[in-house]
Amino acid sequence: MSQPPASAAADHSTPAPAGAPAGRQEAIRQDFIRQIVRDDLASGKHAAIRTRFPPEPNGYLHIGHAKAICLDFGIAAEFGGRCNLRFDDTNPAKEDPEYVAAIQEDVRWLGFEWASLRHASDYFDVFYRGAEKLIRQGDAFVCDLSADEVREYRGTLTEPGRNSPWRDRSVEENLDLFRRMRAGEFADGCRTLRAKIDMASGNIALRDPAIYRIKHVEHQNTGNAWPIYPMYDYAHSLSDAIEGITHSLCTLEFEDRRPLYDWCVDKVDLAGHPELLQPLLDRGFPLEAGKPRQIEFSRLNFNYLVMSKRKLLALVEDGLVDGWDDPRMPTLQGIRRRGYTPSALRLMVDRVGISKQNSLLDISILEGALRDDLDAAAPRRMAVVEPLKLVLTNLGPDHEEALTFPNHPKDASFGERSLPFSRELWIEREDFAEVPPKGFKRLTVGGDVRLRGAGIVRCDEAVKDAAGNVVELHCTLDPDSRPGMEGANRKVKGTIHWVSAKHAVPAEIRLYDRLFSVPDPDADEGGKTYRDHLNPDSRRTVTGYVEPAAAQAAPEQSFQFERLGYFVADRRDHRVDAPVFNRSVTLRDTWAQKG
């Protein structure tokens, strides 16, 4: 359970999060939400901004949540306000402390820190008092209809609903029944507490929605203290009011529920009835109740992904992926393991922008943000994924030297490193063709190619095994073609990379690609489901070789493996003596070519 914030009071002075845009002068973000915030501050409606990120701890966060996190925490930081992390833990049957821990880790990984850590379960006493207030005002009643009967009474988009036969119970009877619900006297599902609004409303959300249901389930924070639990709309709106949230930002599917949000806030009126908050005040929580404003924005949807928690859970439980942090999963834990960086995700969110229009975005936006981020931030290393032996026959068997390479060709501040060079090298198998296709610019028998940073070589012979497969190339190095020598100016069509066979470190290299092979795996057309569109080539594991400096990487350190793509040392499995690298993204969008 949340700490009664004496400690939270100290948390409230948390500085702007790492990587947040507070204090930057070069780019003032412009979108309709930030304009609302600017106007509210300028008019004096609010002296300070308070936002919250309110995940339900029933699964792992995914890429879509990154947009909400960056918006909630980012706006608070930009305008000198505060953002709480609040767990919407009102449905204990589906919630787990594992998810709570992972969500906190994800928020911090993205570069943000919350002002105060809260749980909706902190407020259960206040919610209950608010419900009794609604009953006394004639704004709520205990209903005995079953779930199926409630649906039958609700009506349709074109037909009004019908009043429950229990709608006109007296205040006294409603209070008695609700208190007996609270005491655990009734079985699950046999009664609900419903708001009394308007069964003829054109907005179905206002047709006497349930605000409490009976559920005899142990809660991870409150144990068995409560056999009744508040419904989301009621708990969420009052949680915002309790915390003095000024701008409650949520996705567009909640737009139709905004009138219910406002109804709950206005009818309970916590700001005007501080006595309802006494249980929190007794526990050391600050008095900060206010009237929040809900504002909706479009959610983040990319093609080639599924974002449904239900479907992601099924992928995990059915063994179709290796867990929530499988690098092919769109969870924040998964893409982190894939090699996505917090700065790449924040760049993606900036590029996508904030709007009121839902759309399916091309995943190349996400991949492009990672390429741009790592192009600037990732040191370069040499690695060979599909190795083919190349022997420089004009060098002695014991030839060995150290060549100097820049760690980043575009940024001298990355410094230089020493790379061992010897008679026998590994090159990429696809860099040799015995019968080269038209336009091939790499190595062929009798042809020249430039070895990156080492000189120009000519292939003299391709050695084959008994099955006719090329297993080794015999080549000659031009000693006058080293970088800086006159011979290096000789025109050669191609340049290939390499690692010294004597010094290279064997590495497990996991070649990840998109998890689904079609742009809209959720389409469910032709009797197929998202499962039928799993990409069989979404992961291929090979044993390659990396230069010694790459093997020394720390877990989660990213590199550009020259000519191959961006790779990251796996955060779980990588060791210096047994390197494991995951491909984060290719150097170019290979899927665009497929289209």
Side-chain angles (χ1 to χ4, degrees):
M1 188 176 296
S2 303
Q3 294 297 317
S7 60
D11 286 346
H12 291 162
S13 63
T14 300
R24 291 185 189 171
Q25 300 299 317
E26 69 273 13
I28 296 177
R29 288 171 170 80
Q30 298 286 356
D31 56 64
F32 75 96
I33 293 179
R34 285 174 169 87
Q35 193 55 52
I36 290 171
V37 171
R38 288 188 184 100
D39 291 346
D40 286 347
L41 288 171
S43 69
K45 179 178 180 180
H46 300 297
I49 299 303
R50 293 181 184 176
T51 60
R52 81 291 167 270
F53 174 59
E56 183 178 356
N58 64 351
Y60 282 75
L61 300 184
H62 55 61
I63 295 170
H65 294 108
K67 179 178 179 180
I69 292 169
C70 289
L71 187 60
D72 289 324
F73 285 92
I75 281 184
E78 284 171 54
F79 295 97
R82 292 168 17 199
C83 182
N84 290 345
L85 173 60
R86 181 179 72 236
F87 289 101
D88 169 35
D89 56 348
T90 58
N91 190 10
K94 294 184 177 181
E95 294 157 6
D96 195 298
E98 173 190 348
Y99 301 139
V100 171
I103 289 168
Q104 292 182 67
E105 182 183 9
D106 288 341
V107 171
R108 285 187 165 127
W109 173 68
L110 277 174
F112 299 105
E113 187 59 63
W114 45 88
S116 187
L117 179 65
R118 303 291 183 92
H119 299 77
S121 56
D122 292 334
Y123 310 143
F124 279 174
D125 287 312
V126 177
F127 298 157
Y128 181 79
R129 288 181 169 213
E132 285 199 340
K133 179 175 184 285
L134 291 176
I135 292 171
R136 287 194 296 271
Q137 293 170 179
D139 290 320
F141 67 98
V142 174
C143 181
D144 295 359
L145 293 179
S146 69
D148 288 339
E149 290 169 332
V150 167
R151 279 189 286 272
E152 180 187 334
Y153 273 68
R154 183 171 291 134
T156 67
L157 291 172
T158 56
E159 297 177 354
R162 291 177 289 141
N163 286 346
S164 163
W166 315 105
R167 196 175 195 265
D168 295 323
R169 277 175 161 153
S170 68
V171 167
E172 291 71 26
E173 185 181 6
N174 281 318
L175 279 174
D176 175 64
L177 287 171
F178 187 53
R179 288 166 179 167
R180 290 163 66 190
M181 287 168 60
R182 166 72 182 92
E185 191 173 319
F186 306 121
D188 286 7
C190 71
R191 286 192 163 96
T192 56
L193 180 69
R194 296 174 65 183
K196 190 186 292 186
I197 307 180
D198 182 5
M199 289 301 294
S201 173
N203 185 339
I204 292 179
L206 296 179
R207 293 182 185 176
D208 292 4
I211 55 178
Y212 264 95
R213 79 281 207 200
I214 301 170
K215 189 170 278 194
H216 293 265
V217 177
E218 185 174 354
H219 190 283
Q220 63 267 23
N221 281 347
T222 60
N224 292 306
W226 292 89
I228 57 173
Y229 290 99
M231 302 299 287
Y232 174 83
D233 291 299
Y234 177 71
H236 180 73
S237 57
L238 292 194
S239 295
D240 283 348
I242 288 168
E243 295 174 21
I245 302 304
T246 56
H247 300 82
S248 177
L249 310 178
C250 57
T251 45
L252 277 176
E253 64 265 31
F254 292 100
E255 190 169 29
D256 288 344
R257 312 191 79 80
R258 193 198 316 147
L260 176 56
Y261 178 99
D262 291 339
W263 185 92
C264 292
V265 169
D266 292 340
K267 290 292 185 180
V268 176
D269 188 19
L270 291 171
H273 292 270
E275 71 277 5
L276 299 174
L277 298 162
Q278 196 59 49
L280 288 178
L281 303 180
D282 291 344
R283 290 165 52 204
F285 282 79
L287 178 61
E288 50 192 357
K291 182 175 179 178
R293 174 183 177 181
Q294 178 175 301
I295 305 170
E296 305 84 18
F297 61 93
S298 61
R299 65 189 307 160
L300 192 64
N301 287 308
F302 283 114
N303 58 12
Y304 290 98
L305 294 178
V306 298
M307 300 278 218
S308 155
K309 283 185 180 178
R310 176 180 58 81
K311 292 178 179 179
L312 295 177
L313 178 62
L315 288 173
V316 172
E317 291 184 335
D318 296 344
L320 298 172
V321 293
D322 296 333
W324 287 102
D325 70 344
D326 186 308
R328 296 166 293 179
M329 288 278 275
T331 56
L332 294 185
Q333 293 279 325
I335 64 171
R336 175 179 179 176
R337 194 169 178 186
R338 176 78 167 258
Y340 274 79
T341 60
S343 49
L345 289 179
R346 293 195 298 266
L347 176 61
M348 175 273 294
V349 170
D350 284 348
R351 288 178 174 177
V352 167
I354 306 299
S355 76
K356 294 279 280 187
Q357 184 67 45
N358 274 332
S359 60
L360 188 63
L361 300 172
D362 197 293
I363 199 169
S364 63
I365 298 171
L366 176 66
E367 294 169 344
L370 181 62
R371 285 191 189 96
D372 290 346
D373 182 66
L374 292 180
D375 179 55
R380 275 40 171 177
R381 294 290 185 264
M382 299 258 250
V384 171
V385 170
E386 303 276 3
L388 174 64
K389 179 71 71 68
L390 182 151
V391 181
L392 297 169
T393 55
N394 62 328
L395 298 183
D398 298 326
H399 182 89
E400 193 173 316
E401 60 182 302
L403 304 179
T404 300
F405 277 71
N407 286 323
H408 197 302
K410 303 175 185 177
D411 191 339
S413 70
F414 279 71
E416 297 178 330
R417 71 190 188 282
S418 179
L419 190 64
F421 180 73
S422 61
R423 182 176 190 262
E424 295 188 357
L425 309 174
W426 293 116
I427 67 165
E428 209 65 58
R429 182 168 291 276
E430 68 175 19
D431 283 340
F432 171 79
E434 193 172 16
V435 182
K438 185 177 180 181
F440 189 75
K441 296 179 180 179
R442 286 159 283 169
L443 200 55
T444 64
V445 175
D448 291 343
V449 74
R450 193 182 304 276
L451 284 183
R452 171 95 165 83
I456 296 170
V457 299
R458 173 177 291 272
C459 182
D460 305 311
E461 179 188 5
V463 180
K464 300 181 180 180
D465 63 13
N469 301 309
V470 175
V471 294
E472 191 171 288
L473 303 177
H474 289 178
C475 301
T476 304
L477 174 66
D478 179 355
D480 299 320
S481 63
R482 288 292 177 87
M485 294 182 174
E486 185 61 33
N489 297 326
R490 177 154 58 94
K491 288 194 174 180
V492 178
K493 288 184 178 179
T495 299
I496 65 174
H497 65 280
W498 52 272
V499 291
S500 166
K502 182 177 181 179
H503 305 90
V505 181
E508 180 179 327
I509 298 178
R510 299 167 181 172
L511 300 169
Y512 289 106
D513 207 338
R514 297 177 185 175
L515 184 57
F516 295 96
S517 55
V518 297
D520 189 3
D522 278 323
D524 292 344
E525 295 176 350
K528 292 187 175 183
T529 71
Y530 67 101
R531 294 168 179 261
D532 298 303
H533 300 303
L534 286 166
N535 177 10
D537 299 318
S538 62
R539 182 183 61 193
R540 188 165 62 91
T541 302
V542 300
T543 299
Y545 293 96
V546 299
E547 63 167 276
Q552 296 296 318
E556 293 195 87
Q557 186 172 359
S558 291
F559 297 111
Q560 184 194 103
F561 285 169
E562 296 198 24
R563 301 179 66 239
L564 297 179
Y566 294 99
F567 289 75
V568 67
D570 187 82
R571 69 182 295 220
R572 308 286 187 210
D573 302 333
H574 173 82
R575 300 197 318 266
V576 170
D577 62 332
V580 178
F581 288 96
N582 302 328
R583 182 170 66 190
S584 307
V585 69
T586 54
L587 291 178
R588 285 170 293 279
D589 184 357
T590 56
W591 286 73
Q593 300 164 13
K594 296 177 186 179

